[in-house]
Amino acid sequence: MSAVFPTVREVLALDPVRHGAPRVVAGDDGLDRPVRWVHVAEVPDIATLLGGGELVLTTGIGLPGDDAGLRAFIGDLADVGVSGLVVELGRRYVSGVPRVMAAAAERRGLPLVELRRATPFVRITEAVHALIVDAQLTELRATEEIHQRFNDLSVEGADAAEVIRQAAELSGCPVVLENLSRQVLGYDPAGESAELLLDGWEQHSRRIRPAGRTAYDPDSGWLVTTVGARGQDWGRLLLRWPASGDVPSARAIEPTAGSPTRLTILIERAASTLALGRLIRRDAEGLERQIHRTLLTALLDHSRPVDEVGLRAKALGVVLDRRHLVGVMVRHRADDPAGEVGPEVGQARLRDLSEAVGQALREAKLTALTSAVDDNSVGALLALPDPAAEDRALSAFASALRRVRLDAGAGRPGPGVEPARAASDASRAALGADPPRAGFGVEAPRTGGDVPRGAGPGAVIVAAGSGVSTLREARRSLVEARQIAEAARRDRRDLPIFRLPHVGLAGLLHLLRDEPRLQTFVERELGALLEYDARHPREQLLDTLRAYLEQGRNKSAGAAAAHLSRPAFYERLARIARILDVDLDSVEASLSLHVALLALEAVRTP
């Protein structure tokens, strides 16, 4: 990709200049400087009228006659940044320019050229300016192609990999997309070695420190721009120019101090396309999730006719008619910690879990409605071709969900371009793409002999209801899955999928939670204690009773679980026995109270 302006070397090759028999007498190293304009001057103080980048033509008739004046003249031109000085011999200087002038130009690295034959300057200016205009027209066409190419990519919704490939193809240079942690989200080596390009990338990238949102780092040879929109930056797009690593003169005419304007436009348009694509995908995904949540909520709450839910789901690409439907609920074992550390943490945790469930469904190639259904749970209604596929589909989903959560917890970037979550994520994110949010990661390791793997605060429960054959029965499967998930929270086993047979008595009580006779049983067994706790909120004897029963009536273990001294714990147990008028040492009485406690939790669960 050539620059807009011709170099001094290219100007000397033009026919009108060659007619003058040019000879370079000083400043050979500066012959690749760009020529922005050609200016004819016959006065010694011309430098004050120049802006840099001009090729100055003169016959020398107005130049100083003393050595000091010539040195000052050359110094002024060099200071203002002219591209070169061309002197026609014959009028002021016959055999050649003064040696002091050549020496001064050599010291300042300013190209000094003699024209040994008379040449009309107008032909030189016309030729150079025509070359500049042609180059600018070519640049304009190339810029238009860049805009058109990336506009098409935006309209087509091209992914990040395609945007990066097009940027590398148009520039002929390696292109890398990274997140804010300097992890590579995507790249195109433009025919070079990908291994060499990405070897030690993070350390190399941190040494690339351009000044500005879009800038060229001459030390590394990388042109860099920030990627982001709506005030939220999520990555950087880098383009290496020149590929050889030879950095041009520091006094370049281009606005990015070293890279051609066309490359600056290209990398900024590519970055805008990446940012726009991420916003479009995020907004589309957000709208789709809203529709999923509306339909799932409608099934759970009977807020819309079932036929309408099926019709809208079909329009969304999820066919529910004539399918075997299975309700699934995924939730953390621990409740939302919003009350302790702020609501944004709980929302982020639920959002991450919802994204993980969606990605797991995609990886398992399952069709489903899925969204968060309350503050702690993510629901899914699987639509399977036949009942025989149920066990296989649930196992595939559970395995995919565990992989997704392990990958997110380890922070491993995917190969090539960041997936939608990690672009969102990179992001956030991406897109890749942001670091994992609170509560989203690998299951906690075992911390003791009685704690199951996956029972830590970040662990999740996957529960499935009974499969049904019609959409009208789907609510029963979803509600059953929710009840199983609630009942399984106290289960010490680490099962991939919890089904109704796994939750035993707690599951049965959840199914019977709306039964008036069960509610009457709870009030008969625990009513007096609940009334006492209501009058004495600082004591909460119900929690003491729960700790005692959950520890198998082991008073020492119960005191430790309740965080009380043994005398205080014993005194509370005695008070509970008096309030309820029961013998807590009786197995039958304790069993009845334990069932009542489990039933109370089932009744209180929304």
Side-chain angles (χ1 to χ4, degrees), residues 75-86:
D76 291 343
L77 293 181
D79 289 341
V80 80
V82 300
S83 299
L85 175 64
V86 178

Side-chain angles (χ1 to χ4, degrees), residues 121-168:
F121 284 172
V122 66
R123 294 183 182 175
I124 297 177
T125 57
E126 285 177 346
V128 175
H129 293 166
L131 194 64
I132 293 173
V133 171
D134 287 345
Q136 289 177 330
L137 181 58
T138 300
E139 190 77 3
L140 183 61
R141 289 171 178 164
T143 301
E144 179 64 24
E145 180 187 356
I146 290 171
H147 285 295
Q148 187 61 47
R149 185 82 65 93
F150 287 109
N151 282 342
D152 291 343
L153 291 174
S154 297
V155 172
E156 294 168 1
D159 59 16
E162 180 61 17
V163 175
I164 295 169
R165 189 188 70 78
Q166 294 281 1

